[in-house]
């Protein structure tokens, strides 16, 4: 008899009249909101303008969703394009299936477009939103719980997740790998926040740290999963992806810290210009008062000196008039 386990929802969707409300979608939406909200706070703290993170997210989020879905469909193409499967299901994103690697890659393209339109360096923007992305992943993983997917091997641990009978799954108690990854992502976010404050990370190194730390956890969590996946040399494809991306992230941190140490002084030129203009306006108001006072003093001095300076000129004019009269 199992005394303790994590129950799974009886359904991942609630119908509000004709409108289906899906738990998976709610988790994604809440995660995006948290990432933008927290990223905005970090961006302002680094000298940026409020609202910039949300403006760029308008580009990054749709690109990220498309990239995440493409990665999933390409790496698990047999679920949609093999015999007996319906390729139309590849568009049913609400049923689950977003690859974080594709989401980050194509999301970065969208963020680059948004940053370029505003004259903002992409690495600085990536550093600001890195912890928020990790928090968003932590929340988004609970969407897998609603869909009863991406669980691990069977276990009798008290925190096992109970999976019910369904399509492509057998009833039983399994490792809740969605929970493991959710907790890991929270730890990654806290690590990046601490390291950013402790070492003043810049030029994309905070984002690279997030990527490296996430890959470390994703590697061992992925190894526990039992869902169908492609294998290369005995390892799941996503394990190899984690290893490669981890190595690239660490290499970036090392090379970047040597070539561009420190942190960007200006992350948003428009915000810096606004501050400079406001400061100049304040100095100008004070300066005009000083200039007015100085001008009045100068005018007063000129008025006092007027009669003294005019004396020689008047004498010269009288001499010239006398000489002219004598000639006449």
């Amino acid at each position: 008899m199992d005394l303790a386990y994590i129950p799974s929802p009886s359904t991942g969707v609630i119908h509000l009249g004709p409108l289906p409300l899906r738990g998976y979608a709610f988790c994604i939406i809440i995660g995006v909101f948290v990432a933008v909200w927290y990223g905005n706070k970090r961006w302002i703290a680094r000298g940026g303008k409020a609202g910039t993170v949300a403006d760029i997210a308008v580009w990054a989020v749709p690109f990220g969703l498309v990239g995440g879905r493409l990665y999933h469909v390409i790496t698990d193409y047999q679920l949609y394009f093999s015999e007996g499967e319906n390729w139309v299901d590849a568009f049913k994103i609400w049923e689950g299936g977003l690859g974080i690697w594709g989401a980050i890659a194509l999301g970065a393209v969208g963020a680059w477009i948004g940053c370029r339109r505003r004259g903002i360096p992409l690495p600085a923007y990536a550093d600001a939103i890195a912890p928020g992305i990790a928090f968003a992943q932590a929340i988004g993983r609970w969407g897998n719980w609603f869909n009863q997917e991406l669980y691990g091997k069977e276990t009798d641990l008290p925190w096992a997740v109970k999976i019910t009978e369904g399509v492509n799954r057998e009833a039983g108690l399994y490792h809740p790998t969605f929970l493991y990854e959710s907790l890991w992502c929270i730890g990654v976010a806290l690590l990046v926040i601490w390291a950013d404050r402790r070492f003043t990370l810049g030029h994309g190194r905070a984002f690279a740290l997030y990527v490296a730390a996430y890959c470390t956890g994703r590697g061992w969590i992925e190894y526990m999963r039992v869902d169908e996946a492609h294998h290369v040399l005995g390892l799941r494809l996503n394990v190899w992806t984690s290893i490669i991306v981890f190595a690239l992230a660490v290499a970036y941190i090392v090379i970047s810290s040597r070539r561009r140490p420190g942190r960007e002084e200006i992350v948003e030129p428009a915000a810096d210009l606004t501050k400079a203009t406001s400061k100049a306006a304040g100095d100008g108001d004070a300066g005009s008062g000083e200039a007015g006072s100085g001008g009045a003093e100068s005018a007063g001095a000129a008025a006092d000196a007027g009669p003294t300076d005019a004396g020689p000129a008047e004498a010269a004019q009288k001499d010239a008039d006398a000489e002219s009269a004598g000639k006449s």
Side-chain angles (χ1 to χ4, degrees), residues 71-127:
Y71 181 89
H72 166 72
V73 172
I74 292 173
T75 55
D76 290 307
Y77 62 88
Q78 74 281 354
L79 300 177
Y80 308 100
F81 301 105
S82 59
E83 186 177 355
E85 302 294 342
N86 186 358
W87 62 271
V88 176
D89 293 340
F91 297 95
K92 297 179 180 179
I93 191 173
W94 55 86
E95 293 183 355
L98 288 175
I100 185 60
W101 316 113
I104 294 296
L106 210 54
V109 174
W112 175 79
I113 294 174
C115 287
R116 187 175 178 82
R117 289 167 60 90
R118 299 181 70 101
I120 293 172
L122 177 60
Y125 180 81
D127 283 343

Coordinates of all heavy atoms in Angstrom, one line a residue, residues 71-127:
Y71 N 11.6 22.6 -32.4 CA 12.6 21.7 -31.9 C 12.0 20.4 -31.4 O 12.5 19.3 -31.7 CB 13.3 22.3 -30.7 CG 14.4 21.4 -30.1 CD1 15.7 21.5 -30.6 CD2 14.1 20.5 -29.0 CE1 16.7 20.6 -30.0 CE2 15.1 19.7 -28.5 CZ 16.4 19.8 -29.0 OH 17.4 19.0 -28.5
H72 N 10.8 20.5 -30.7 CA 10.1 19.3 -30.3 C 9.7 18.4 -31.5 O 9.8 17.2 -31.5 CB 8.9 19.7 -29.4 CG 8.0 18.5 -29.2 ND1 8.2 17.5 -28.4 CD2 6.7 18.3 -29.7 CE1 7.2 16.6 -28.4 NE2 6.3 17.1 -29.2
V73 N 9.0 19.1 -32.5 CA 8.5 18.3 -33.6 C 9.6 17.7 -34.4 O 9.5 16.5 -34.8 CB 7.7 19.3 -34.5 CG1 7.3 18.6 -35.8 CG2 6.4 19.7 -33.7
I74 N 10.7 18.4 -34.6 CA 11.9 17.8 -35.4 C 12.5 16.7 -34.6 O 12.8 15.6 -35.3 CB 12.9 19.0 -35.7 CG1 12.3 20.0 -36.6 CG2 14.2 18.4 -36.2 CD1 13.2 21.2 -36.8
T75 N 12.8 16.8 -33.3 CA 13.4 15.8 -32.6 C 12.5 14.6 -32.3 O 13.0 13.5 -32.0 CB 14.1 16.3 -31.3 OG1 13.0 16.9 -30.5 CG2 15.2 17.3 -31.6
D76 N 11.2 14.8 -32.3 CA 10.3 13.7 -32.0 C 9.3 13.6 -33.2 O 8.1 13.4 -33.0 CB 9.5 14.0 -30.7 CG 10.3 13.9 -29.5 OD1 11.0 12.8 -29.3 OD2 10.4 14.8 -28.7
Y77 N 9.9 13.6 -34.4 CA 9.0 13.6 -35.6 C 8.2 12.4 -35.7 O 7.1 12.4 -36.4 CB 9.9 13.7 -36.8 CG 10.9 12.6 -37.0 CD1 10.5 11.4 -37.7 CD2 12.2 12.7 -36.5 CE1 11.4 10.4 -37.8 CE2 13.1 11.6 -36.6 CZ 12.7 10.5 -37.3 OH 13.6 9.4 -37.4
Q78 N 8.6 11.3 -35.1 CA 7.9 10.0 -35.3 C 6.5 10.1 -34.6 O 5.6 9.4 -35.0 CB 8.7 8.9 -34.6 CG 8.7 8.8 -33.1 CD 9.7 9.8 -32.6 OE1 10.5 10.4 -33.3 NE2 9.8 10.0 -31.2
L79 N 6.3 11.1 -33.7 CA 5.0 11.2 -33.0 C 4.0 11.9 -34.0 O 2.8 11.8 -33.7 CB 5.2 12.1 -31.8 CG 6.1 11.6 -30.7 CD1 6.2 12.6 -29.6 CD2 5.6 10.2 -30.2
Y80 N 4.4 12.5 -35.1 CA 3.5 13.2 -35.9 C 3.6 12.8 -37.4 O 2.6 12.9 -38.1 CB 3.9 14.7 -35.9 CG 3.9 15.2 -34.5 CD1 5.2 15.4 -33.8 CD2 2.8 15.5 -33.7 CE1 5.2 15.9 -32.5 CE2 2.8 16.0 -32.4 CZ 4.0 16.2 -31.8 OH 4.1 16.6 -30.5
F81 N 4.7 12.2 -37.8 CA 4.8 11.9 -39.3 C 5.0 10.4 -39.6 O 5.3 10.1 -40.7 CB 6.0 12.7 -39.8 CG 5.8 14.2 -39.7 CD1 6.5 14.9 -38.7 CD2 4.9 14.9 -40.4 CE1 6.4 16.3 -38.5 CE2 4.7 16.3 -40.3 CZ 5.4 17.0 -39.3
S82 N 5.0 9.6 -38.6 CA 5.1 8.1 -38.8 C 3.8 7.5 -39.2 O 2.7 8.2 -39.1 CB 5.7 7.4 -37.6 OG 4.8 7.6 -36.5
E83 N 3.8 6.3 -39.6 CA 2.5 5.7 -40.1 C 1.5 5.6 -39.0 O 1.8 5.2 -37.8 CB 2.9 4.3 -40.6 CG 1.7 3.6 -41.2 CD 2.0 2.2 -41.8 OE1 3.2 1.9 -41.8 OE2 1.1 1.5 -42.3
G84 N 0.3 6.0 -39.3 CA -0.8 6.0 -38.3 C -0.9 7.2 -37.5 O -1.9 7.4 -36.7
E85 N 0.0 8.2 -37.6 CA 0.0 9.4 -36.9 C -0.6 10.5 -37.7 O -0.5 10.5 -39.0 CB 1.3 9.8 -36.3 CG 2.0 8.8 -35.4 CD 1.3 8.6 -34.1 OE1 0.5 9.5 -33.8 OE2 1.5 7.6 -33.5
N86 N -1.2 11.5 -37.1 CA -1.8 12.7 -37.8 C -0.8 13.9 -37.7 O -0.6 14.4 -36.6 CB -3.1 13.0 -37.2 CG -3.9 14.0 -38.0 OD1 -3.4 14.6 -39.0 ND2 -5.1 14.4 -37.6
W87 N -0.3 14.3 -38.9 CA 0.7 15.4 -38.8 C 0.0 16.7 -38.3 O 0.8 17.6 -37.9 CB 1.2 15.7 -40.2 CG 0.2 16.1 -41.3 CD1 -0.5 15.2 -42.1 CD2 -0.2 17.4 -41.6 NE1 -1.4 16.0 -42.9 CE2 -1.2 17.3 -42.6 CE3 0.2 18.7 -41.2 CZ2 -1.8 18.4 -43.2 CZ3 -0.4 19.8 -41.7 CH2 -1.4 19.6 -42.7
V88 N -1.3 16.8 -38.4 CA -1.9 18.1 -37.9 C -1.7 18.2 -36.4 O -1.7 19.4 -35.9 CB -3.4 18.0 -38.2 CG1 -4.2 19.2 -37.6 CG2 -3.7 17.9 -39.7
D89 N -1.4 17.1 -35.7 CA -1.2 17.2 -34.2 C 0.1 18.0 -33.9 O 0.3 18.4 -32.8 CB -1.1 15.8 -33.6 CG -2.4 15.0 -33.7 OD1 -3.4 15.7 -33.8 OD2 -2.4 13.8 -33.6
A90 N 0.9 18.2 -34.9 CA 2.2 18.9 -34.7 C 1.9 20.4 -34.3 O 2.7 21.1 -33.7 CB 3.1 18.9 -35.9
F91 N 0.7 20.9 -34.7 CA 0.3 22.2 -34.4 C -0.5 22.4 -33.1 O -0.7 23.5 -32.6 CB -0.6 22.8 -35.5 CG 0.1 22.9 -36.8 CD1 0.0 21.8 -37.8 CD2 0.9 24.0 -37.2 CE1 0.6 21.9 -39.0 CE2 1.5 24.0 -38.4 CZ 1.4 23.0 -39.3
K92 N -0.8 21.3 -32.4 CA -1.5 21.3 -31.2 C -0.6 21.5 -30.0 O -0.3 20.6 -29.2 CB -2.3 20.0 -31.0 CG -3.4 19.8 -32.1 CD -4.1 18.5 -31.9 CE -5.2 18.3 -33.0 NZ -5.9 17.0 -32.8
I93 N -0.1 22.7 -29.9 CA 0.9 23.1 -28.8 C 0.3 22.9 -27.4 O 1.0 22.7 -26.5 CB 1.4 24.5 -29.1 CG1 2.6 24.8 -28.2 CG2 0.3 25.5 -28.8 CD1 3.3 26.1 -28.5
W94 N -1.0 23.0 -27.3 CA -1.7 23.0 -26.0 C -1.6 21.6 -25.4 O -1.8 21.4 -24.2 CB -3.1 23.4 -26.1 CG -3.9 22.7 -27.1 CD1 -4.6 21.5 -26.9 CD2 -4.1 23.0 -28.5 NE1 -5.2 21.1 -28.1 CE2 -4.9 22.0 -29.0 CE3 -3.7 24.1 -29.2 CZ2 -5.3 22.1 -30.4 CZ3 -4.1 24.2 -30.6 CH2 -4.9 23.2 -31.1
E95 N -1.3 20.6 -26.2 CA -1.2 19.2 -25.7 C 0.2 18.9 -25.2 O 0.5 17.8 -24.8 CB -1.5 18.2 -26.8 CG -3.0 18.3 -27.2 CD -3.3 17.2 -28.3 OE1 -2.4 16.5 -28.8 OE2 -4.5 17.1 -28.6
G96 N 1.1 19.9 -25.1 CA 2.5 19.8 -24.6 C 3.5 19.6 -25.7 O 3.1 19.3 -26.9
G97 N 4.7 19.8 -25.4 CA 5.8 19.6 -26.4 C 6.4 20.9 -26.8 O 6.2 21.5 -27.9
L98 N 7.3 21.5 -25.9 CA 8.1 22.6 -26.2 C 9.5 22.3 -25.8 O 9.8 22.0 -24.7 CB 7.6 23.9 -25.4 CG 6.3 24.5 -25.9 CD1 5.9 25.6 -24.9 CD2 6.4 25.1 -27.3
G99 N 10.5 22.4 -26.8 CA 11.9 22.1 -26.5 C 12.6 23.4 -26.1 O 12.6 24.4 -26.8
I100 N 13.1 23.4 -24.9 CA 13.7 24.6 -24.3 C 14.9 25.1 -25.2 O 15.1 26.3 -25.4 CB 14.2 24.4 -22.9 CG1 14.8 25.7 -22.3 CG2 15.3 23.3 -22.8 CD1 13.8 26.8 -22.2
W101 N 15.6 24.1 -25.8 CA 16.7 24.5 -26.7 C 16.2 25.4 -27.9 O 16.8 26.4 -28.2 CB 17.5 23.3 -27.2 CG 17.7 22.3 -26.1 CD1 17.1 21.0 -26.0 CD2 18.5 22.4 -24.9 NE1 17.5 20.4 -24.9 CE2 18.4 21.2 -24.2 CE3 19.3 23.4 -24.4 CZ2 19.0 21.0 -23.0 CZ3 20.0 23.2 -23.2 CH2 19.8 22.0 -22.5
G102 N 15.2 24.9 -28.5 CA 14.6 25.7 -29.6 C 14.0 27.0 -29.2 O 14.1 28.0 -29.9
A103 N 13.4 27.0 -28.0 CA 12.8 28.2 -27.5 C 13.8 29.3 -27.2 O 13.6 30.5 -27.5 CB 12.0 27.9 -26.2
I104 N 15.0 28.9 -26.6 CA 16.0 29.8 -26.3 C 16.7 30.3 -27.6 O 16.9 31.5 -27.8 CB 17.1 29.2 -25.4 CG1 16.5 28.9 -24.0 CG2 18.3 30.1 -25.2 CD1 16.0 30.2 -23.2
A105 N 16.9 29.4 -28.5 CA 17.6 29.8 -29.8 C 16.8 30.8 -30.6 O 17.3 31.8 -31.0 CB 18.0 28.5 -30.6
L106 N 15.6 30.4 -30.9 CA 14.8 31.3 -31.7 C 14.3 32.5 -30.9 O 14.1 33.6 -31.5 CB 13.6 30.5 -32.3 CG 13.1 31.0 -33.7 CD1 14.3 31.0 -34.7 CD2 12.0 30.1 -34.2
G107 N 14.1 32.3 -29.6 CA 13.7 33.4 -28.8 C 14.8 34.5 -28.8 O 14.5 35.7 -28.7
A108 N 16.0 34.0 -28.8 CA 17.2 35.0 -28.9 C 17.2 35.8 -30.2 O 17.5 37.0 -30.2 CB 18.5 34.2 -28.8
V109 N 16.7 35.2 -31.3 CA 16.6 35.9 -32.6 C 15.6 37.0 -32.4 O 15.8 38.1 -32.9 CB 16.2 34.9 -33.7 CG1 16.0 35.7 -35.0 CG2 17.3 33.9 -33.9
G110 N 14.4 36.6 -31.8 CA 13.4 37.7 -31.6 C 13.9 38.8 -30.7 O 13.6 40.0 -31.0
A111 N 14.6 38.4 -29.7 CA 15.1 39.4 -28.7 C 16.1 40.3 -29.5 O 16.2 41.5 -29.2 CB 15.8 38.8 -27.5
W112 N 16.9 39.7 -30.3 CA 17.9 40.5 -31.1 C 17.2 41.5 -32.0 O 17.7 42.7 -32.1 CB 18.8 39.5 -31.9 CG 19.7 40.3 -32.8 CD1 20.9 40.8 -32.5 CD2 19.6 40.5 -34.2 NE1 21.5 41.4 -33.6 CE2 20.7 41.2 -34.7 CE3 18.6 40.2 -35.2 CZ2 20.9 41.6 -36.0 CZ3 18.7 40.6 -36.5 CH2 19.9 41.3 -36.9
I113 N 16.2 41.1 -32.6 CA 15.4 42.1 -33.5 C 14.9 43.2 -32.6 O 15.0 44.4 -33.0 CB 14.2 41.3 -34.2 CG1 14.8 40.3 -35.2 CG2 13.4 42.3 -34.9 CD1 13.7 39.4 -35.8
G114 N 14.3 42.9 -31.5 CA 13.7 43.9 -30.6 C 14.8 44.8 -30.1 O 14.6 46.1 -30.0
C115 N 15.9 44.3 -29.7 CA 17.1 45.1 -29.2 C 17.6 46.0 -30.3 O 18.0 47.1 -30.0 CB 18.2 44.2 -28.6 SG 17.8 43.4 -27.0
R116 N 17.8 45.5 -31.4 CA 18.3 46.2 -32.6 C 17.4 47.4 -32.9 O 17.9 48.5 -33.2 CB 18.5 45.3 -33.8 CG 19.2 46.0 -34.9 CD 19.5 45.0 -36.1 NE 20.1 45.6 -37.2 CZ 21.4 45.9 -37.3 NH1 22.2 45.5 -36.3 NH2 21.9 46.4 -38.4
R117 N 16.1 47.2 -32.8 CA 15.2 48.3 -33.1 C 15.3 49.5 -32.1 O 15.0 50.6 -32.4 CB 13.8 47.8 -33.1 CG 13.5 46.9 -34.3 CD 12.1 46.2 -34.1 NE 11.0 47.1 -34.0 CZ 10.3 47.6 -35.0 NH1 10.6 47.3 -36.2 NH2 9.3 48.4 -34.7
R118 N 15.8 49.1 -30.9 CA 15.9 50.1 -29.8 C 17.3 50.5 -29.5 O 17.6 51.3 -28.6 CB 15.2 49.6 -28.5 CG 13.7 49.3 -28.7 CD 13.2 48.8 -27.4 NE 13.1 49.9 -26.4 CZ 12.0 50.6 -26.1 NH1 10.9 50.4 -26.7 NH2 12.1 51.6 -25.2
G119 N 18.3 50.0 -30.3 CA 19.7 50.3 -30.1 C 20.2 49.8 -28.8 O 21.1 50.5 -28.1
I120 N 19.8 48.6 -28.3 CA 20.2 48.0 -27.1 C 21.1 46.8 -27.3 O 20.8 46.0 -28.2 CB 19.0 47.6 -26.3 CG1 18.1 48.8 -25.8 CG2 19.3 46.8 -25.0 CD1 16.8 48.5 -25.2
P121 N 22.2 46.7 -26.5 CA 23.0 45.5 -26.7 C 22.3 44.2 -26.2 O 21.9 44.2 -25.1 CB 24.3 45.8 -25.9 CG 23.8 46.8 -24.9 CD 22.7 47.6 -25.5
L122 N 22.3 43.2 -27.1 CA 21.6 42.0 -26.7 C 22.2 41.3 -25.5 O 21.4 40.8 -24.6 CB 21.6 41.0 -27.9 CG 21.0 39.6 -27.7 CD1 19.5 39.8 -27.3 CD2 21.1 38.7 -28.9
P123 N 23.5 41.2 -25.3 CA 24.1 40.6 -24.1 C 23.6 41.2 -22.8 O 23.3 40.5 -21.8 CB 25.6 40.8 -24.3 CG 25.8 40.9 -25.8 CD 24.6 41.6 -26.3
A124 N 23.5 42.6 -22.8 CA 23.0 43.2 -21.6 C 21.5 42.9 -21.3 O 21.2 42.6 -20.1 CB 23.1 44.7 -21.7
Y125 N 20.7 42.8 -22.3 CA 19.3 42.4 -22.1 C 19.2 41.0 -21.7 O 18.4 40.6 -20.8 CB 18.6 42.6 -23.5 CG 17.1 42.2 -23.4 CD1 16.2 43.1 -23.0 CD2 16.7 40.9 -23.9 CE1 14.8 42.7 -22.9 CE2 15.4 40.6 -23.9 CZ 14.4 41.5 -23.4 OH 13.1 41.1 -23.3
A126 N 20.0 40.1 -22.2 CA 20.0 38.7 -21.9 C 20.4 38.5 -20.4 O 19.8 37.7 -19.7 CB 21.0 37.9 -22.8
D127 N 21.4 39.3 -19.9 CA 21.8 39.2 -18.5 C 20.7 39.6 -17.6 O 20.5 39.0 -16.5 CB 23.0 40.1 -18.3 CG 24.3 39.5 -18.8 OD1 24.4 38.3 -19.0 OD2 25.3 40.3 -18.9

